[in-house]
Amino acid sequence: MMLSEFAPAKVNLFLHVAAPGADGRHQLCSLVVFADVGDRVRAERASQMSLSVDGPFGEQIGPVDDNLIVRALRLAKAEPMRVHLSKHLPAAAGLGGGTSDAGAALRLARQMDPGLSLDQVEAAARSLGADGLMCLQARACLAEGEGERLSAAPDMPILPAVLVNPAVPSPTGAVYRAYDAGGGAFSADRPALPNRFSSVAEMADFLAAQRNDLQEPAVRLVPQVRDALAAVRRSPGALLSRMSGSGATVFGLFEDDEAAQAAATEIAGAHPTWWVQPCRLNAGHPGDEVD
């Protein structure tokens, strides 16, 4: 029996980043939500671990043996699984795609092996980097520390949105190095968050006063990010335009699904080589499947 898990795109609504510590690592504060678009991970018990890949971005994942799915399952000491990944999110895009895939695989591993403890799975997820634990849980949260300290997000409405990637990668390490060299904000400040946002407009007004501290260094390294931000900003009804994570994907928030769909259609028409996806943030995601 093959089980299936959705691996949703992660979006940083804001991302405040401190200066690097003595170990070169960064403290951060980020409000994170997940989209109703993403990859799909399927798995079944097997005699040995294996991973196969398809999908429009399947060729971008690199060597299968070094994929985050395989790495995470080995770190968790999961039983052997035959895993298949349908890759629909671009790589090096600031959407946590590879880490979300690994989180989905770890959730599948626990379904298949009741003896696999939550501690094992969470330790494996943390080892994947700042996005690891949040992508394992795959629900809205406020992330602090190095991304591993998670607390509940405020109550938020569903956020109609557009994701836009200008078809160029934005490697996380290079963006952080540019941030360190560029004299940015260097603060992982936690804004005063209300208990509840009552509307998309209220949410956008709050977010407009926040930052993604990696946006400017990413723009310097990948100028196409500026073009994507401008394309979203020019769209009728756009309430906010910002980069997610270390880029190169940017997102726009809109008052309703119709405005988001219209913006996506217009942007895709003007930039046919870009990846443009209307979506809903904080809306949950497709349920698990059993084949």
Side-chain angles (χ1 to χ4, degrees):
M1 180 174 64
M2 181 165 278
L3 302 179
S4 176
E5 274 269 347
F6 186 62
K10 172 226 62 169
V11 173
N12 302 90
L13 295 177
F14 67 75
L15 178 56
H16 299 171
V17 182
D23 59 358
R25 301 174 73 88
H26 298 78
Q27 299 287 301
L28 59 86
C29 179
S30 183
L31 183 58
V32 177
V33 292
F34 290 85
D36 61 357
V37 297
D39 299 332
R40 176 66 66 177
V41 180
R42 293 179 171 83
E44 61 185 349
R45 295 180 183 274
S47 58
Q48 61 183 16
M49 194 76 71
S50 66
L51 173 65
S52 58
V53 184
D54 66 11
F57 295 101
E59 294 181 357
Q60 293 187 356
I61 71 164
V64 169
D65 288 344
D66 193 42
N67 185 268
L68 288 181
I69 288 176
V70 175
R71 196 184 311 172
L73 293 173
R74 287 174 175 162
L75 286 167
K77 296 181 170 57
E79 291 185 354
M81 298 161 53
R82 182 180 297 109
V83 184
H84 182 76
L85 169 64
S86 292
K87 190 69 183 164
H88 297 277
L89 298 176
L95 298 173
T99 313
S100 189
D101 297 340
L106 288 170
R107 294 194 297 274
L108 287 170
R110 284 208 78 206
Q111 291 180 52
M112 293 182 184
D113 180 8
L116 190 62
S117 73
L118 181 60
D119 286 344
Q120 283 175 271
V121 166
E122 289 187 343
R126 286 191 181 96
S127 73
L128 302 178
D131 292 347
L133 191 57
M134 67 182 79
C135 285
L136 174 65
Q137 297 183 2
R139 60 175 180 263
C141 63
L142 183 72
E144 296 178 279
E146 292 179 7
E148 83 292 349
R149 196 166 75 244
L150 306 182
S151 55
D155 288 338
M156 295 180 285
I158 292 172
L159 303 172
V162 175
L163 303 178
V164 179
N165 184 283
V168 288
S170 180
T172 298
V175 172
Y176 269 99
R177 287 190 293 273
Y179 177 66
D180 295 346
F186 290 149
S187 175
D189 51 302
R190 178 179 184 171
L193 287 159
N195 293 326
R196 180 175 184 271
F197 290 101
S198 60
S199 69
V200 180
E202 181 187 6
M203 185 105 207
D205 286 345
F206 171 83
L207 292 173
Q210 312 309 319
R211 317 176 306 274
N212 179 344
D213 290 334
L214 301 183
Q215 182 169 299
E216 284 307 312
V219 165
R220 292 197 298 270
L221 290 174
V222 186
Q224 294 92 333
V225 172
R226 181 186 292 111
D227 299 333
L229 287 164
V232 172
R233 194 177 301 117
R234 287 193 300 265
S235 299
L239 302 176
L240 181 77
S241 174
R242 176 167 291 157
M243 189 183 80
S244 178
S246 56
T249 303
V250 308
F251 67 92
L253 297 185
F254 293 82
E255 189 69 46
D256 53 45
D257 294 329
E258 291 74 16
Q261 180 63 66
T265 299
E266 181 176 329
I267 293 169
H271 302 278
T273 63
W274 290 5
W275 180 77
V276 182
Q277 182 67 60
C279 67
R280 306 176 102 197
L281 307 179
N282 196 43
H285 52 75
D288 304 342
E289 300 172 354
V290 179
D291 293 345

